[in-house]
């Protein structure tokens, strides 16, 4: 039989916007000492907007936006939405795309008006033997230093330029991270994004330990490695790419504003998508468990 205190605890959680899948989950919070945080959509709003457009020499800015926007228009990724919406606002209706493919954790590709277009990380362009010029590589580093997520665009065997998007830290994230520290938990940032952007966001919210450029399938390994070091890990995430890590963690918390896949994989749903609710959940569990023994 479940102790009444646990049932009362889950009920209190529901009132606070912390949906706990079952009373036994509260036990899983015992000993948690590390909170791994996904970046996009968890620490940040995940609502990005188009920031910079950097055409390569001799490339028309609108043509760069039109091709990049057309391919991204077929993707749901926050970076894709920002580029497609920003491009449509700048150049008008976007052409359709054929043979669209999403390359998980790297970018997108497709055929627009008979032209093969690739949009994404440098590693994706390298798969197509496309490399940034020194000039573009320098601009990319500069923009990343300003916290922008920069993706490259190539079409028909040449690099057309760079497009960047900017995300914003949620106004409550820094306070949530301070609360984790007060609870004796070490915050860790985990993201597929590049090191410069990850460090910039981490600095803004007060996180020191950062894992960047982690491929979606490898997020789970980072959690497992921390556990192998003897840490008891809570993971907070929102994306499809966080689901395996949420399941692997000793305690998985999904943003209620995130994907269904993440919510299903997690033990707890934070209805409001506010990171402070994760601290509320840990505090509630500790209080509940302490009334039992
Ligand atoms: P996160 O872990 O921050 O949620 P992802 O694992 O989804 O990020 O993506 C990792 C990186 O792959 C992104 O930062 C971006 O550089 C690239 N990428 C992923 N999807 C796209 C896309 N649709 N268009 C351009 N780049 C993309
Ligand atoms: Mg995410």
């Amino acid at each position: 039989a479940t102790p009444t205190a646990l049932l009362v605890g889950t009920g209190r959680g529901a009132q606070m916007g912390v949906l706990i899948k079952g009373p036994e989950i509260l036990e899983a919070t015992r000993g948690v000492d590390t909170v791994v945080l996904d970046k996009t959509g968890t620490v940040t709003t995940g609502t990005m907007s188009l920031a910079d457009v950097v055409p390569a020499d001799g490339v028309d800015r609108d043509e760069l936006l039109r091709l990049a926007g057309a391919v991204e228009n077929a993707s749901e990724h926050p970076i894709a939405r920002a580029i497609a919406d920003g491009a449509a606002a700048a150049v008008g209706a976007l052409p359709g795309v054929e043979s669209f493919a999403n390359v998980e954790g790297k970018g997108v590709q497709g055929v627009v008006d008979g032209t093969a277009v690739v949009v994404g990380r440098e590693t994706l362009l390298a798969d197509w033997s496309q490399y940034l010029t020194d000039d573009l590589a320098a601009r990319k580093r500069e923009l990343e230093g300003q916290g922008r997520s920069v993706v490259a665009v190539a079409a028909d065997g040449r690099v057309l330029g760079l497009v960047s998007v900017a995300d914003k830290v949620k106004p409550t994230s820094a306070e949530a991270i301070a609360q984790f520290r007060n609870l004796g938990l070490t915050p860790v940032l985990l993201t597929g994004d590049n090191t410069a952007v990850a460090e910039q966001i981490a600095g803004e919210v007060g996180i020191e330990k950062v894992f960047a450029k982690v491929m979606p399938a490898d997020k789970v390994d980072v959690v497992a490695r921390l556990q192998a070091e003897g840490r008891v890990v809570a993971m907070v995430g929102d994306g499809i790419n966080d689901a395996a890590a949420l399941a692997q963690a000793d305690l998985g918390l999904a943003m209620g504003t995130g994907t269904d896949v993440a919510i299903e994989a997690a033990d707890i749903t934070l209805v409001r998508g506010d990171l402070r609710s994760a601290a509320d959940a840990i505090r509630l569990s500790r209080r509940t468990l302490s009334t039992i023994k």
Side-chain angles (χ1 to χ4, degrees):
T2 306
T4 312
L6 291 182
L7 288 171
V8 171
T10 55
R12 283 241 39 221
Q15 287 164 8
M16 301 161 63
V18 172
L19 300 187
I20 304 168
K21 272 192 188 157
E24 69 286 353
I25 299 227
L26 291 173
E27 280 293 336
T29 63
R30 213 186 273 285
V32 167
D33 55 15
T34 302
V35 185
V36 176
L37 304 160
D38 162 59
K39 177 177 73 70
T40 311
T42 299
V43 173
T44 69
T45 64
T47 316
M48 307 203 197
S49 48
L50 181 65
D52 311 276
V53 183
V54 184
D57 277 343
V59 172
D60 181 63
R61 180 191 155 93
D62 282 1
E63 184 61 5
L64 168 62
L65 277 176
R66 203 177 71 92
L67 293 176
V71 185
E72 293 287 28
N73 206 19
S75 166
E76 295 296 324
H77 196 281
I79 293 178
R81 293 321 321 150
I83 294 174
D85 294 348
V91 307
L94 299 169
V97 57
E98 287 158 45
S99 309
F100 172 81
N102 178 56
V103 187
E104 178 82 349
K106 281 188 166 186
V108 291
Q109 56 198 47
V111 177
V112 182
D113 295 340
T115 302
V117 182
V118 188
V119 188
R121 292 170 63 163
E122 278 185 83
T123 51
L124 179 62
L125 269 71
D127 293 343
W128 292 73
S129 306
Q130 297 297 313
Y131 306 93
L132 298 186
T133 59
D134 290 348
D135 268 5
L136 285 176
R139 279 292 282 149
K140 180 167 180 280
R141 276 194 301 276
E142 193 186 320
L143 293 171
E144 285 172 350
Q146 297 165 18
R148 306 273 205 256
S149 295
V150 184
V151 298
V153 184
D156 265 352
R158 69 171 295 208
V159 176
L160 296 185
L162 308 172
V163 179
S164 87
V165 302
D167 190 2
K168 278 197 288 295
V169 165
K170 290 180 189 174
T172 53
S173 292
E175 190 192 323
I177 283 146
Q179 290 185 16
F180 293 146
R181 288 195 195 280
N182 283 337
L183 288 164
L185 311 172
T186 305
V188 174
L189 190 69
L190 176 60
T191 179
D193 212 341
N194 69 71
T195 310
V197 174
E199 296 280 0
Q200 159 78 27
I201 300 288
E204 269 181 60
V205 297
I207 298 178
E208 277 149 32
K209 201 170 169 64
V210 176
F211 293 89
K213 294 205 302 200
V214 179
M215 294 298 290
D218 298 335
K219 283 191 170 184
V220 59
D221 295 337
V222 171
V223 171
R225 213 184 317 146
L226 290 167
Q227 289 169 322
E229 286 171 11
R231 292 170 183 266
V232 181
V233 178
M235 160 92 194
V236 193
D238 72 315
I240 296 169
N241 57 354
D242 298 318
L246 287 168
Q248 169 70 33
D250 298 280
L251 182 70
L253 303 102
M255 289 296 183
T257 47
T259 61
D260 292 347
V261 182
I263 291 169
E264 272 156 36
D267 304 302
I268 292 179
T269 302
L270 307 173
V271 177
R272 281 191 285 275
D274 179 338
L275 203 47
R276 289 176 303 184
S277 298
D280 290 341
I282 305 273
R283 222 177 279 117
L284 169 73
S285 309
R286 285 188 183 171
R287 223 182 297 125
T288 305
L289 292 173
S290 73
T291 64
I292 297 170
K293 52 184 162 228

